[in-house]
Amino acid sequence: LNPATRLSQRQTVLEEVTAPISKPLDDAIGLLSSYMRNDVPFVDELLQHGNLLAGKRLRPVLLLLVAGSLGKIDQRHISLAAAIEMIHAATLVHDDILDGAQTRRHQPTIHEKWNNPTAVLLGDFLFSNAFYLASTTQCAKACELIGSATNLVCEGELLQLAATNHLNTSSDSYFDIISKKTGQLISCSTQLGTFFQQKADDESRWFELFADMESFGANLGIAFQIQDDILDIAGDAETTGKTLGTDLQNQKATLPIIHALDILSPEPRADLIRRLRNPNFENRRYIKSTLEQIGAIQFAKEQARIFSRRASDCLRNLPESECLVSLRLLTEFVTSRDC
Amino acid sequence: LNPATRLSQRQTVLEEVTAPISKPLDDAIGLLSSYMRNDVPFVDELLQHGNLLAGKRLRPVLLLLVAGSLGKIDQRHISLAAAIEMIHAATLVHDDILDGAQTRRHQPTIHEKWNNPTAVLLGDFLFSNAFYLASTTQCAKACELIGSATNLVCEGELLQLAATNHLNTSSDSYFDIISKKTGQLISCSTQLGTFFQQKADDESRWFELFADMESFGANLGIAFQIQDDILDIAGDAETTGKTLGTDLQNQKATLPIIHALDILSPEPRADLIRRLRNPNFENRRYIKSTLEQIGAIQFAKEQARIFSRRASDCLRNLPESECLVSLRLLTEFVTSRDC
């Protein structure tokens, strides 16, 4: 399939998934856009460019689908959907500095179009503005859930930074890092979607649902990140719209690499390490084809599907609804997507 | 006076100022220290180093003195004093990247001891953790006040970044920038100190006091920043414990420079601009002595005192107390300090 067809397929899936929440999702994205404006022209320009870099809106979609599957969606869910997407945007702006990524969503990244200091400050502004937006729900618990998730996101990113250049990262460390840096914010979205839907008459069932939704997001986040890591090695830059191969460039050991180093015999293993240490174009192509040949990409895909199935299992206690159908479809899409 | 005598004088002033709040201040600093720990050894090491970089604890001291001058200090004030200092620490860690500063409080800065990505992520962690800590008051208004102040801090920093290398910055722009980047967080501290002290029986007086305290912090913050900018040009590195001359290095036009460019006749003005464009050691020494000779340092000191007096005027409606005596002393100290 060519990139255009792939993108249009993805568009179709996303339209189907978001159909039951199209109105509140529009409201959340509208609210987000209104918070991505500023009276100061320079700040306004940065915010608007930052808004272009956002992608699939996975986190607000999940928050609203979970909320919609448990009851009526209200203004607090809409504000929190916008807030969680703004936190995500902040992490993207800062991640792009760390990774030296030049493009995202077919656009130059902030540090590339302006410079590193501008990207540091824009990310800070987005973090702060997200907490401000969350506080407009007048519920401190919203800031608490987002704050504790974002703490772990940063912890995961710091762990990942410390593991950079260490090709002997274990798969345990890998899963610890991705469950924090990606799983936490996705789990926070599904927790926030559940939070305001407590029925006074059925507290114990609600606590069970809250734990299910926390676990749903955590597993889905891990599946999502494994797939992202696969695409960074084996994906197509035009389809994904972002700089690929940055993990190899930055000597970040992701699951396919970790698995390959685990299973290869000493000689080809030493050869792979040599090429990983010098990730030029030729070596990156060789690494990709080696990982495909020895089944390391396939192994990582299977792992992603395991976590996606675990996520799916966490949906078992939700009542049948259009939102639930969408949650199932989205859980499937996370590991089948090629963009 | 030699640096050791100056530091011991400062110590005496700070001890006198903090005497009426010594117990809650210890509690706040203890709470902050407990939030500056982490189970992950690498993150823990970063946080502990970050904790060493903090200085005068001006923001928690102000918050607690304002709270103490209006009523009983409770656990919420202590949590917010720790939270506001953590936000301040986050901005220091990121500012040091932007300024390329190598030392702070006689310690290497985070990006200097580790690297830029580590400093970006540590700052993010501190922002997030501060909002988490604020949410433990179970009052969304705390996150709202901190969020809206931090938004303006980032806006001020972005404006300052955009003005870098533009030696034709006007004094209006300068005051706009410093009232946002420094005034806002100090004003937020005095607002938070007031916030939980509302007496149910006297709402209109409380609103007046809240506005007074907001304005007190805003004016004090401007005075504080002017003095900081004076010290960057005319201070002593050993006494302040940080890299000085960074504004000149980064071609940041601060009040003494702006005033000098305003009053100089064309020829010495052109000479000053030439030297500002090439801030080597020799030129920095020349700039410092020129600014002193033509009274530009003196002018900036007078401006700082004007804002410090405006701050002092805002204290007029507070009841007489030991905390009020300290607030007056601190307001005086902000413009007389040389470290």
Side-chain angles (χ1 to χ4, degrees), chain A residues 38 94 124 128-129 147 151 155, chain B residues 38 94 124 128-129 147 151 155:
Chain A
N38 194 281
H94 282 180
D124 292 351
S128 160
N129 211 8
N151 280 353
E155 205 180 293
Chain B
N38 193 281
H94 282 180
D124 292 351
S128 161
N129 211 7
N151 281 352
E155 207 180 291

Side-chain angles (χ1 to χ4, degrees), chain A residues 103-176:
Chain A
T103 58
R104 182 178 287 279
R105 302 279 299 161
H106 306 275
Q107 300 284 338
T109 52
I110 299 286
H111 71 97
E112 186 70 19
K113 188 164 177 182
W114 285 274
N115 48 42
N116 280 0
T118 304
V120 170
L121 291 172
L122 179 65
D124 292 351
F125 184 90
L126 294 172
F127 272 121
S128 160
N129 211 8
F131 280 102
Y132 174 79
L133 181 47
S135 77
T136 65
T137 59
Q138 298 183 9
C139 169
K141 187 75 185 174
C143 292
E144 187 192 314
L145 288 173
I146 297 174
S148 88
T150 312
N151 280 353
L152 288 166
V153 170
C154 295
E155 205 180 293
E157 297 263 11
L158 281 165
L159 283 170
Q160 176 174 275
L161 198 59
T164 303
N165 296 325
H166 294 273
L167 292 172
N168 60 347
T169 305
S170 69
S171 61
D172 280 357
S173 299
Y174 172 79
F175 283 113
D176 182 39

Side-chain angles (χ1 to χ4, degrees), chain B residues 230 291-292 294-303 305:
Chain B
I230 292 170
L291 295 179
E292 276 164 352
I294 64 172
I297 299 288
Q298 208 43 48
F299 171 83
K301 281 187 180 165
E302 187 45 44
Q303 290 290 310
R305 275 191 291 266

